[in-house]
Amino acid sequence: MSSEGDTTLKSICYKPGSLQLLDQRKLPLETTYLEIRDTADGWSAIQEMVVRGAPAIAIAAALSLAVEVFDFNGFDGSCEDAVAFLEKKLDYLVSSRPTAVNLADAALKLKQVVAKALASSAIEPKSIFKAYIEAAESMLEDDVASNKSIGTFGSSLLRQQAKNHDKLSVLTHCNTGSLATAGYGTALGVIRALHTQGVLERAYCTETRPFNQGSRLTAFELVHEKIPATLIADSAAAALMKDGRVDGVIVGADRVASNGDTANKIGTYSLALCAKHHKIPFYVAAPLTSVDLSLSSGKEIVIEERTPKELLNTRGGLGERIAAPGISVWNPAFDVTPAALIAGIITEKGVVTKNGSDAFDIRSFAQKMIGN
C-alpha cells in the first residue's frame, strides 16, 4: 500500500491564516474546497453539512475562529475584551450542531486556554489571539494521533473477539473516516487498520439515509483507499447478518453518556438491535472528547431534528422532490443506542469494557487514563 500521506483524503486543509473545507455535499461526483474566512463561514459550513463528523466539526469550528483572528493587529480593545470576543465567538460556533459534544468540549478547552493567557499577564490582545491560534492548531494535530490509536486498539479487539482472527468482515454505518475527522478516522480507522494488517476480508457500509453519508462518503473513502468493500441498503443489514457475512459491527459516536449510551447517526440503534439478535459484537469507536460525563444516561441527550427536505427530496434534500405533497416528516439526525447493546467502546486510551453489568463506567476509565 502507499504511505498514509499519499492516500488519505482530507476534509480540512489548513495553514496559518487559511482554512479550506472539502464540500462533502458534492461528493463523490465533485471535489470542491470552500474557503472559510471567519466564524460566520465556519458556522454555515457546519450547519449546512459542508463538513460533518463530530471530530471534524470541532476542529473546523476552532480553526475558523483561528483564521478570523490571525491578522487582528488592529483589534480595538483590551486583553479582557479579546477574551470576551473569543468566548462569544466560540458560543456562537457551538450553536451550529448542538448534539456533537466534541464541539462543545473543544470550545470549553479553548476558553480555558485564553483565560490562562489572560491570567499570565498578557500585555496586548495579540498575545491572547496567538495563544488561541496555537491551541486550535494543536487540536488538528492531536486528532490524527488520537484516531490512529483508536485504530490500533480497535483492530486488536476485533481480532481477539472474532471466530477467525485472520479473516474478518466488518459492517459500519454513516461516515467515520478521514472525511469525518482531521484524518484517518475512528470506526473507519479501525477498518483501515485491519486492512493494513491484511486481515480484513470485506468492509460493508450502509447507504445511511436520508443524507447518504455511507454511499456518498464512506464508499468514496473505501474505494479511494482500495479497501475491499460492499455498499448495502440500510434495510439489508439484518439479512446480511443472518447470512453470516458479518463478524462485527463498528460505528462512531456524536455523544456518549457516562454510562455508555451512545448518540450516533439515525439507524445506529437498529443495527445494534440486529447485531444483538444475531450474536454479533457491536462496538463504538470514539475519542474521549465524544464522552459527556455530565450526562448520566442517553435519556439526557438532546437529539437534533433536521429539515424535512432531506426526506422529501432526492440526494438528501438537494435534488428533486419525490415524496407526496402534504405528507408530514419526522427527521431526527441521531438516535441513542443503549449501553446494553454495546460490546465495547474503543477510545484513544484503550477499550472501555463492562464490569458485570449492562452499563459502562466511563468516568472511572477517563479519570484513570487522563491521569496517566
Side-chain angles (χ1 to χ4, degrees):
M1 291 180 65
S2 301
S3 67
E4 200 64 50
D6 292 333
T7 64
T8 304
L9 295 161
K10 284 191 175 182
S11 62
I12 300 170
C13 291
Y14 172 82
K15 61 182 180 181
S18 173
L19 174 63
Q20 292 184 324
L21 299 178
L22 179 62
D23 189 345
Q24 298 186 33
R25 300 169 300 179
K26 298 182 178 180
L27 290 174
L29 304 179
E30 184 179 336
T31 303
T32 303
Y33 282 86
L34 299 183
E35 190 76 32
I36 305 299
R37 299 177 181 84
D38 53 29
T39 49
D41 287 349
W43 192 96
S44 295
I46 294 166
Q47 209 280 328
E48 295 171 12
M49 305 277 276
V50 169
V51 61
R52 22 74 44 212
I57 286 170
I59 293 162
L63 292 176
S64 72
L65 181 50
V67 167
E68 182 170 336
V69 301
F70 179 74
D71 193 20
F72 251 31
N73 293 325
F75 181 77
D76 185 18
S78 65
C79 290
E80 289 80 4
D81 293 334
V83 170
F85 173 85
L86 291 168
E87 290 179 340
K88 183 177 179 181
K89 291 289 186 178
L90 287 167
D91 288 340
Y92 166 66
L93 287 164
V94 168
S95 70
S96 61
R97 291 299 298 275
T99 304
V101 69
N102 304 59
L103 177 53
D105 179 76
L108 178 60
K109 289 175 179 174
L110 290 166
K111 286 179 181 180
Q112 292 170 347
V113 166
V114 296
K116 184 177 179 180
L118 179 63
S120 63
S121 303
I123 58 174
E124 57 179 351
K126 187 176 181 180
S127 61
I128 301 290
F129 294 138
K130 183 174 182 290
Y132 174 86
I133 292 169
E134 290 174 351
E137 291 172 348
S138 292
M139 287 183 170
L140 178 65
E141 297 168 5
D142 292 346
D143 187 66
V144 177
S146 170
N147 286 184
K148 289 184 177 180
S149 292
I150 290 171
T152 300
F153 285 119
S155 60
S156 176
L157 177 67
L158 264 68
R159 293 184 70 177
Q160 288 173 15
Q161 299 194 358
K163 294 177 182 176
N164 185 340
H165 306 321
D166 299 316
K167 191 178 181 183
L168 290 81
S169 289
V170 181
L171 172 64
T172 191
H173 186 57
C174 199
N175 175 257
T176 58
S178 299
L179 298 175
T181 64
Y184 199 78
T186 53
L188 200 56
V190 174
I191 290 173
R192 179 180 279 113
L194 290 168
H195 176 59
T196 300
Q197 294 163 17
V199 299
L200 181 73
E201 182 176 22
R202 183 153 298 273
Y204 291 97
C205 60
T206 61
E207 57 183 344
T208 320
R209 291 185 51 78
F211 208 66
N212 304 308
Q213 292 97 325
S215 56
R216 292 188 304 105
L217 307 178
T218 299
F220 181 58
E221 287 200 51
L222 291 167
V223 170
H224 181 85
E225 300 279 347
K226 297 181 172 58
I227 295 174
T230 298
L231 174 68
I232 66 167
D234 291 358
S235 51
L240 188 75
M241 294 181 197
K242 185 179 180 181
D243 280 353
R245 300 191 193 185
V246 180
D247 297 300
V249 181
I250 187 163
V251 300
D254 283 82
R255 188 177 291 249
V256 182
S258 59
N259 71 336
D261 291 351
T262 297
N264 192 50
K265 185 56 54 188
I266 191 73
T268 302
Y269 180 33
S270 299
L271 285 179
L273 287 169
C274 289
K276 184 76 170 180
H277 178 76
H278 293 96
K279 297 180 174 57
I280 296 169
F282 180 94
Y283 306 101
V284 170
L288 285 173
T289 52
S290 294
V291 177
D292 188 346
L293 294 176
S294 72
L295 304 180
S296 61
S297 76
K299 293 179 181 178
E300 301 171 54
I301 298 176
V302 177
I303 299 299
E304 171 191 356
E305 290 192 31
R306 294 190 58 78
T307 172
K309 286 185 66 177
E310 292 181 353
L311 272 78
L312 298 174
N313 293 39
T314 60
R315 295 174 54 226
L318 302 175
E320 64 179 329
R321 178 158 182 142
I322 55 170
I327 189 68
S328 61
V329 170
W330 182 53
N331 185 24
F334 309 96
D335 55 30
V336 176
T337 298
L341 299 177
I342 301 171
I345 299 174
I346 304 159
T347 78
E348 74 276 23
K349 298 294 185 181
V351 180
V352 190
T353 55
K354 298 172 186 173
N355 296 318
S357 70
D358 282 338
F360 297 88
D361 185 1
I362 304 180
R363 184 182 302 277
S364 295
F365 176 88
Q367 289 172 346
K368 179 181 177 182
M369 292 300 169
I370 292 172
N372 292 342

